[in-house]
Structure formats: structure tokens, C-alpha cells
């Protein structure tokens, strides 16, 4: 049995060297770094001790080697990743704004990442996993939406759970078809890992407490964990809420923190780690992720997280 199945875009990421740099004039860019939200998640889940399988597609090129080798070397089962010579590996270019915002230019739709479809999902694999994790960023094409829906059907039928990080970015949310797919996953998920912005997307200007109550009311959800960047996270189930403060770190690159947080949390749940320790470890993983440049360069093992927790200062 596999603990976690992750699926979606495998990317190479190229990042601006300095804050304030733009893509409208020449500048120094760093990379390529292995990336893609579901890949960052899978890598972190495997590093923290879960058995993880990945379904995706990469080009028959160096960027594909970069990401597939990283996942393989950290223990992810990459047998569900196909390689193609018809399209290149997906890419993301990222620049950082003075106000802390980021701007992405993705090529997912015209890359190998867009070549997955319902047939990419091996029923034996999906029917044998305990958690299937969906990233909102992976719902960008008809094929990837069909793949996610098929995996959800198979995992549900086998009694597994679905976790969902909506990760709604304006760059990716480009059509009503994608909005419908987000809604479909929301209706079928057990564990929701939204940011504040994701909650706002679902529930408008409602307070967090009201938004969470509405979501529990409307859907079968058993757990909602709201990620609040430097403030940590707030866990909600149907009977209680718990704020878990984060750790003091110097942020170098925020990309990947949420994916890394989710990878740690679901990995811990799959390994039977109690929820309070799981949330602390997930916060620590998110904090450590932002201290390293590169979307998955700050990924960590459980023992690295434990050493960090022993020495780091908690925020409050
Ligand atoms: P993204 O989608 O950009 O990866 P996100 O919005 O999904 O991010 P964040 O809330 O930014 O997720 O980060 C996830 C978790 O990582 C937070 O809940 C927190 O535990 C940790 N974290 C993120 N940024 C910081 C920071 N600056 N300092 C300490 N911890 C942080
Ligand atoms: Mg996110």
C-alpha cells in the first residue's frame, strides 16, 4: 500500500536574483530548480518518511531529468511519470516584488505537464493509496482535470482520503472549467489546506470562523487547516479550532512553503503522528522552506525538522 499519491505538473523554475527585478528587461535569473506544486509536496512527503507515488509527465529533456531525478533520489516512486519528446518540460519564471508579492509566468498548458489524462492514472496505484493529494494548480487543462477526477473516484472507492490545497493563483484560474474542477475537488475532499486567499475565494469576505463553518456545513470535510504564512496555521475540525504559531526565520524565498507544509502534514497523518505534533512539524517545514532559495531546496527530513524545532524561536 502507498501512503500518498500526488499528481500534476512537473516544472523547472527560473527565478529572479533580486527583489524588484522584472521580466521586461534583462537581468540575472537563477536556476533551473526542480519545481511544480505537487512535486514539491511529494518530495517533502517522501523526505519526511511517507511512501509516495507520483503521476505526471515530463519532457525528454534536461529539465525533465532535473525534476524526475530529484523526486527519485528522495524516494518518490516515479514509475507513474511518463517522458515525452513531443513537448518540453513545463517551466515557471518567478519575480519578486518589493511588497512581498510574486509574479509567475508559467508554461504548463503547452508543455509535457499538460499531456496527462484519465488514462495516466493506474487503477492499481490509485486504488492502493491511503491519501490522494490534489493541488489547485494541477487543474489547468481538460486532461489533468480528467486525471484528478479519475484518481478521486478510484481512491474514494477504495476507502482512501482526498486532501486538497486549492492554491488558487490568478495566473492559473483562467476559465469556468477550472472553477468547476476546483468545486468538484472541494466536494470530494476530506482535508482542505487553504490559504486566506483560498478561503476568500470560496466564502467571500466572511471571517475565517464563518468561512470554516460554512465549508463544514456544505461539504464532507473532516479537517481544514488554514495556512497563514509567518503567523503559522489554524487547525479546524468539527469540534475544535487550534492556532499553532510558527517559527522565527529570515524569509529568503516564499515559494513552496505551502506545498512543503502540506507534504509534511499529510505525511505525518499517514504515519499516524498525532495532529498537534503534525501541525508543529508542518509549520517547521514551511518555515525552513522559506529560508532556502529555490522552491524545493528547503525541503527537510523529520530529524532535520526536530532539530530545528528544538532550537528555533516560536512566534506568537
Ligand atoms: P504558497 O502557495 O506560496 O506555497 P501558501 O499560501 O500555500 O504558500 P503559506 O501560508 O505562505 O502557504 O506557508 C505555509 C506555511 O509555511 C505557513 O502556515 C507557516 O507555517 C510556514 N511559513 C510560511 N512563511 C513563513 C515565514 N515567513 N516564517 C515562518 N513560517 C512561515
Ligand atoms: Mg499554497
Amino acid at each position: 500500500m502507498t501512503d500518498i499519491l500526488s499528481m500534476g505538473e512537473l516544472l523547472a523554475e527560473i527565478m529572479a536574483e533580486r527583489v524588484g527585478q522584472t521580466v521586461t528587461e534583462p537581468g540575472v535569473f537563477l536556476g533551473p530548480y526542480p519545481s511544480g506544486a505537487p512535486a514539491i509536496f511529494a518530495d517533502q512527503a517522501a523526505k519526511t518518511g511517507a511512501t509516495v507515488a507520483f503521476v505526471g509527465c515530463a519532457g525528454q529533456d534536461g529539465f525533465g531529468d532535473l525534476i524526475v531525478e530529484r523526486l527519485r533520489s528522495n524516494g518518490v516512486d516515479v514509475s507513474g511519470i511518463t517522458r515525452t519528446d513531443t513537448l518540453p518540460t513545463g517551466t515557471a519564471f518567478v519575480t519578486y516584488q518589493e511588497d512581498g508579492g510574486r509574479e509567475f509566468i508559467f508554461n504548463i498548458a503547452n508543455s509535457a505537464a499538460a499531456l496527462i489524462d484519465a488514462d495516466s492514472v493506474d487503477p492499481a496505484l490509485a486504488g492502493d493509496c491511503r491519501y490522494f493529494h490534489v493541488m489547485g494548480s494541477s487543474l489547468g487543462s481538460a486532461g489533468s482535470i480528467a486525471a484528478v477526477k479519475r484518481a478521486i473516484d478510484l481512491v474514494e472507492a477504495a476507502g482512501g482520503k482526498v486532501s486538497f490545497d486549492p492554491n488558487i493563483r490568478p495566473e492559473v484560474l483562467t476559465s469556468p472549467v477550472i472553477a468547476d474542477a476546483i468545486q468538484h475537488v472541494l466536494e470530494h475532499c476530506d482535508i482542505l489546506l487553504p490559504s486566506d486567499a483560498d478561503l476568500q475565494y470560496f466564502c467571500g469576505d466572511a471571517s475565517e470562523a464563518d468561512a470554516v463553518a460554512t465549508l463544514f456545513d456544505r461539504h464532507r470535510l473532516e479537517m481544514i487547516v488554514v495556512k497563514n504564512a509567518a503567523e503559522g496555521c489554524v487547525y479546524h475540525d468539527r469540534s475544535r479550532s487550534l492556532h499553532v504559531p510558527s517559527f522565527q526565520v529570515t524569509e529568503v524565498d516564499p515559494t513552496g512553503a505551502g506545498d512543503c507544509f502540506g507534504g509534511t502534514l499529510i505525511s505525518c497523518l499517514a504515519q499516524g503522528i498525532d495532529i498537534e505534533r503534525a501541525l508543529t512539524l508542518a509549520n517547521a517545514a514551511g518555515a525552513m522552506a522559506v529560508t532556502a532559495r529555490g522552491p524545493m531546496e528547503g525541503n527537510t527530513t523529520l530529524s532535520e525538522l526536530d532539530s530545528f524545532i528544538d532550537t528555533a524561536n516560536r512566534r506568537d
Side-chain angles (χ1 to χ4, degrees):
M1 183 145 229
T2 304
D3 289 329
I4 304 171
L5 176 65
S6 177
M7 179 161 77
E9 68 279 14
L10 296 165
L11 306 179
E13 186 161 317
I14 318 281
M15 57 184 45
E17 184 185 45
R18 63 175 177 80
V19 174
Q21 194 177 323
T22 70
V23 288
T24 53
E25 58 192 357
V28 177
F29 283 79
L30 305 173
Y33 289 100
S35 188
I40 301 165
F41 171 97
D43 184 77
Q44 177 66 12
K47 282 193 89 165
T48 50
T51 52
V52 183
F54 199 93
V55 172
C57 184
Q60 203 68 261
D61 52 31
F63 287 169
D65 295 343
L66 172 75
I67 177 67
V68 176
E69 270 317 307
R70 174 65 66 89
L71 293 179
R72 190 201 314 274
S73 67
N74 284 332
V76 176
D77 172 357
V78 296
S79 61
I81 299 178
T82 52
R83 304 290 296 273
T84 180
D85 53 16
T86 56
L87 283 171
T89 300
T91 51
F93 287 78
V94 58
T95 51
Y96 304 88
Q97 296 151 343
E98 308 281 1
D99 66 1
R102 281 166 293 166
E103 208 168 301
F104 289 90
I105 299 178
F106 289 109
N107 175 25
I108 300 175
N110 297 303
S111 79
L115 295 182
I116 60 172
D117 59 23
D119 292 336
S120 309
V121 183
D122 173 1
L125 184 66
D128 193 42
C129 74
R130 299 174 54 220
Y131 291 86
F132 171 48
H133 184 74
V134 184
M135 285 289 179
S137 58
S138 309
L139 299 169
S141 68
S144 61
I145 291 170
V148 164
K149 287 184 173 173
R150 172 101 175 104
I152 287 177
D153 287 348
L154 290 161
V155 170
E156 275 183 344
K161 292 188 176 180
V162 176
S163 54
F164 182 30
D165 179 344
N167 210 3
I168 293 163
R169 295 198 199 289
E171 296 92 333
V172 172
L173 188 61
T174 50
S175 83
V177 176
I178 297 174
D180 281 354
I182 289 172
Q183 206 57 35
H184 179 89
V185 181
L186 178 64
E187 277 157 27
H188 289 265
C189 84
D190 304 283
I191 299 171
L192 183 67
L193 306 176
S195 62
D196 266 348
D198 295 334
L199 272 190
Q200 225 175 55
Y201 171 80
F202 291 127
C203 298
D205 284 336
S207 67
E208 179 172 320
D210 287 348
V212 163
T214 303
L215 289 169
F216 277 132
D217 212 38
R218 287 188 192 152
H219 305 290
R220 75 170 194 220
L221 288 161
E222 65 183 45
M223 181 191 301
I224 300 175
V225 183
V226 184
K227 294 165 287 170
N228 283 327
E231 283 162 36
C233 66
V234 186
Y235 165 87
H236 306 268
D237 62 25
R238 288 179 183 268
S239 55
R240 66 170 177 152
S241 294
L242 176 69
H243 170 241
V244 186
S246 188
F247 297 91
Q248 279 174 19
V249 289
T250 304
E251 183 175 298
V252 174
D253 178 6
T255 307
D259 314 327
C260 203
F261 176 98
T264 308
L265 181 64
I266 305 301
S267 169
C268 288
L269 295 178
Q271 294 175 77
I273 293 173
D274 71 76
I275 187 67
E276 270 136 54
R277 175 161 156 74
L279 293 164
T280 302
L281 286 163
N283 269 344
M288 286 188 79
V290 304
T291 62
R293 214 196 269 259
M296 55 204 260
E297 305 311 303
N299 283 9
T300 41
T301 62
L302 276 188
S303 72
E304 287 165 343
L305 292 172
D306 275 326
S307 313
F308 172 79
I309 291 167
D310 284 346
T311 53
N313 293 321
R314 267 167 228 261
R315 288 179 188 262
D316 215 337

